[in-house]
Amino acid sequence: MYPADPDQPPDPDEDTLRRLTLFDASISCLLGGFEPPVEVGYNRRVEGRLSRSLRRVDVLVQGAVLGIQVTAAIECHQRRRRPVDVGAVDRFVGKLLDIGADRGVLYSCTGFTDRARARAAHAQSPPVMAITLGDGRLVRDSLPPHDSADVGQADFALFLRLGGTADLWSP
C-alpha cells in the first residue's frame, strides 16, 4: 500500500457521499424545470456586476423557462455543526444580486434556522429556495418544504416559473 498523497483531499465518508447523492438528485430535478438546451456550469467564477470582483458559485444554470431566459445560482453550505443562519441567506441574496441571477437555491447539510428559512421564503428579488440535504424525513409547517426529499420537480418548476416560494405551499 502506498502512503496517502498529502496534496489530495481525503476520501469522503459515507454521510458525505449520501449528501452528495441527494445534492446531485436534487439538481437533476431542478434541471427538469428548464426547457432544453440548458447550460450548466460547476464551480464557476462570475464577475459581479456591482462589485466588479469574481464571485464563486457552486452551480450556475442558464436556460429558458416558459420561453423566458432564467439564470439560477446554486450553492451548498456544508457546515457540520450549526444550521445556516439568516446572515448566510442575506449574503447569498447579495451574491445573486451582484451576479445578476434571477433565482437562487441554497442547500445546507445541517438545515436552516427558522429566521433563515423565513428570509429565504420571503425573498422576492431575486427569489431564494432553501433546501436541507437531510435524512429524508418529511418536514411540513407554515414555510415551504425544505428537505430535499420534500422538494420535487413540480416544486422546482413552480419556483422557476413564479419566483417566490412563500405562497406556493400551505401549512
Side-chain angles (χ1 to χ4, degrees):
M1 177 161 244
Y2 296 101
D5 184 349
D7 295 330
Q8 293 294 323
D11 289 336
D13 59 19
E14 270 187 52
D15 189 49
T16 301
L17 288 174
R18 184 181 58 77
R19 290 179 196 275
L20 284 171
T21 301
L22 288 171
F23 181 68
D24 286 344
S26 189
I27 296 296
S28 294
C29 198
L30 168 73
L31 294 176
F34 283 88
E35 300 162 13
V38 179
E39 182 182 328
V40 182
Y42 294 91
N43 201 22
R44 298 282 299 268
R45 295 215 178 263
V46 180
E47 183 175 351
R49 298 180 316 170
L50 307 172
S51 68
R52 302 278 189 241
S53 64
L54 289 178
R55 309 291 300 263
R56 193 189 66 76
V57 179
D58 290 339
V59 182
L60 190 67
V61 182
Q62 296 173 308
V65 177
L66 295 177
I68 299 170
Q69 284 300 118
V70 173
T71 299
I74 302 164
E75 290 201 349
C76 184
H77 283 240
Q78 298 181 34
R79 296 181 183 180
R80 301 241 181 230
R81 295 188 185 122
R82 288 180 280 150
V84 171
D85 63 16
V86 70
V89 176
D90 279 336
R91 286 188 295 279
F92 183 59
V93 170
K95 183 185 286 189
L96 296 174
L97 290 168
D98 194 23
I99 66 172
D102 303 302
R103 309 276 188 272
V105 182
L106 184 59
Y107 288 88
S108 169
C109 291
T110 55
F112 296 85
T113 64
D114 288 342
R115 290 181 178 158
R117 288 184 42 231
R119 171 66 175 103
H122 296 288
Q124 294 178 0
S125 293
V128 173
M129 183 179 269
I131 301 174
T132 299
L133 293 171
D135 56 12
R137 68 181 182 278
L138 292 176
V139 178
R140 292 277 187 231
D141 59 18
S142 61
L143 293 175
H146 69 283
D147 192 279
S148 60
D150 284 346
V151 182
Q153 190 165 349
D155 299 315
F156 280 127
L158 281 171
F159 175 68
L160 291 171
R161 291 177 185 145
L162 302 177
T165 60
D167 299 322
L168 297 180
W169 295 274
S170 58

